[in-house]
Amino acid sequence: MRWPWTGDEDDKKSGLASWTETRETANWSSTFVEPRTLIPAIVLTATTVAGLRLYKSYLRRIPSVNHIKPGYFRRRSLFGRVTTVGDADNFRLFHTPGGRLVGWGWLPWKKVPTTREGLLRKTIHIRIAGVDAPEMAHFGREAQPFSKEAHDWLTQYIQNRRVRAYIYRRDQFDRVVAQVYVRRWLLKRDVGLEMLKNGLATVYEAKTGSEFGEFEQQYRDAEKKAKEQRVGMWTRPTMLGRLRGEATKAPESPREYKNRHAAADKQKK
């Protein structure tokens, strides 16, 4: 029941409150479409989305071969530090996306582990594309001549150095076949090509799985030149060596070595 003395004044207050609420709602609605509000919001959203895509595509660390997306092969490269050298044509890479520009090596939380435990399941096994180095002794097989020299050369050339690997594919041993570059004296060097020049590898000659990118002819020319100059594994015995009975025939290539042992293993079965 309305009291006699509370008629018009309450109606005025109710009307004023309703008008104020309507005005505030209208102001908020118009505020969201004003250029001074809308433009910064769009810029912030676009910047955030672009930053996330940049991180996922180029700055997120890839710890192992299982984390490489199929679409990355033949399109992307991996930059990182070589932690260990296996045989003379493969090594382990700790991926450091962005390198020193984003803090790798100098920020406390972006250090490359130095212990075996710290590196466990955190590196990518890289197989150098296009070359085949002399085989070291393993699985009860003898070492090839110049296998130790090739391993020592590769170790001193890339161990603990930053390299860039242009990745081609994943092989049957869960290695990433890649063309590898390292900077030496400010110059970018193709590691596989340098091995061929030094007579420490042959061009990869398997019937399947060969990867050269666009450089097959360059690799074959480098091998041919090393043979002509008789460097590394193509070295011929000296006169004194021949008198001592050292072999003068052409050395067995890594592919011939593998085929010989494969045939011997097959006969045993």
Side-chain angles (χ1 to χ4, degrees), residues 38-157:
L38 190 61
I39 293 175
I42 293 174
V43 171
L44 178 61
T45 302
T47 303
T48 303
V49 171
L52 288 173
R53 293 194 64 179
L54 176 67
Y55 171 77
K56 288 182 178 181
S57 299
Y58 298 102
L59 299 179
R60 181 169 56 180
R61 207 185 83 77
I62 299 174
S64 71
V65 64
N66 295 324
H67 293 81
I68 301 178
K69 297 179 180 179
Y72 281 14
F73 292 109
R74 303 186 186 280
R75 295 182 180 179
R76 300 284 180 85
S77 65
L78 300 177
F79 183 78
R81 184 180 292 276
V82 177
T83 57
T84 56
V85 173
D87 284 343
D89 49 26
N90 64 83
F91 59 90
R92 289 277 177 177
L93 177 77
F94 187 91
H95 186 218
T96 58
R100 296 185 64 84
L101 290 176
V102 297
W104 284 105
W106 55 274
L107 287 178
W109 60 89
K110 287 199 171 187
K111 298 285 188 180
V112 178
T114 56
T115 63
R116 185 173 182 178
E117 293 76 15
L119 291 168
L120 187 64
R121 291 189 292 274
K122 294 180 180 179
T123 59
I124 302 168
H125 197 178
I126 301 290
R127 170 66 162 83
I128 301 175
V131 301
D132 208 0
E135 295 290 321
M136 301 184 72
H138 52 75
F139 305 122
R141 300 175 180 177
E142 78 284 4
Q144 277 192 276
F146 279 92
S147 59
K148 183 179 185 305
E149 288 84 345
H151 181 268
D152 291 347
W153 182 93
L154 185 63
T155 300
Q156 67 84 26
Y157 201 68

Side-chain angles (χ1 to χ4, degrees), residues 9-269:
E9 187 174 348
D10 285 348
D11 289 343
K12 289 179 180 180
K13 289 182 178 179
S14 177
L16 180 61
S18 177
W19 177 82
T20 304
E21 183 178 353
T22 303
R23 182 176 177 81
E24 289 177 352
T25 304
N27 286 344
W28 276 107
S29 300
S30 61
T31 298
F32 284 120
V33 296
E34 287 182 359
R36 64 180 181 179
T37 304
L38 190 61
I39 293 175
I42 293 174
V43 171
L44 178 61
T45 302
T47 303
T48 303
V49 171
L52 288 173
R53 293 194 64 179
L54 176 67
Y55 171 77
K56 288 182 178 181
S57 299
Y58 298 102
L59 299 179
R60 181 169 56 180
R61 207 185 83 77
I62 299 174
S64 71
V65 64
N66 295 324
H67 293 81
I68 301 178
K69 297 179 180 179
Y72 281 14
F73 292 109
R74 303 186 186 280
R75 295 182 180 179
R76 300 284 180 85
S77 65
L78 300 177
F79 183 78
R81 184 180 292 276
V82 177
T83 57
T84 56
V85 173
D87 284 343
D89 49 26
N90 64 83
F91 59 90
R92 289 277 177 177
L93 177 77
F94 187 91
H95 186 218
T96 58
R100 296 185 64 84
L101 290 176
V102 297
W104 284 105
W106 55 274
L107 287 178
W109 60 89
K110 287 199 171 187
K111 298 285 188 180
V112 178
T114 56
T115 63
R116 185 173 182 178
E117 293 76 15
L119 291 168
L120 187 64
R121 291 189 292 274
K122 294 180 180 179
T123 59
I124 302 168
H125 197 178
I126 301 290
R127 170 66 162 83
I128 301 175
V131 301
D132 208 0
E135 295 290 321
M136 301 184 72
H138 52 75
F139 305 122
R141 300 175 180 177
E142 78 284 4
Q144 277 192 276
F146 279 92
S147 59
K148 183 179 185 305
E149 288 84 345
H151 181 268
D152 291 347
W153 182 93
L154 185 63
T155 300
Q156 67 84 26
Y157 201 68
I158 64 172
Q159 179 80 42
N160 293 323
R161 289 183 176 272
R162 293 186 293 273
V163 301
R164 184 169 295 280
Y166 293 88
I167 59 179
Y168 292 143
R169 65 179 179 84
R170 178 176 180 169
D171 72 5
Q172 68 271 29
F173 303 110
D174 286 336
R175 302 175 302 187
V176 176
V177 181
Q179 189 172 20
V180 181
Y181 288 88
V182 63
R183 288 200 175 273
R184 303 283 299 190
W185 306 106
L186 302 179
L187 297 175
K188 189 168 72 169
R189 302 286 188 181
D190 181 338
V191 176
L193 183 62
E194 293 301 315
M195 293 191 73
L196 291 169
K197 288 180 179 179
N198 285 276
L200 298 173
T202 64
V203 172
Y204 194 81
E205 295 289 3
K207 294 181 180 179
T208 60
S210 300
E211 294 286 356
F212 299 96
E214 301 175 354
F215 303 95
E216 181 175 0
Q217 191 56 52
Q218 188 177 357
Y219 278 26
R220 294 193 181 280
D221 291 344
E223 181 187 84
K224 181 181 178 182
K225 187 175 181 179
K227 288 180 178 179
E228 292 172 350
Q229 295 178 342
R230 297 183 179 181
V231 297
M233 62 188 295
W234 311 115
T235 303
R236 298 293 178 87
T238 62
M239 179 66 72
L240 182 59
R242 288 197 294 270
L243 291 175
R244 288 201 300 259
E246 294 182 11
T248 58
K249 65 178 182 178
E252 182 181 42
S253 71
R255 175 50 48 190
E256 292 168 340
Y257 171 91
K258 294 171 187 174
N259 290 341
R260 176 168 59 83
H261 278 285
D265 293 342
K266 190 174 182 180
Q267 287 182 352
K268 292 178 181 178
K269 294 180 181 178

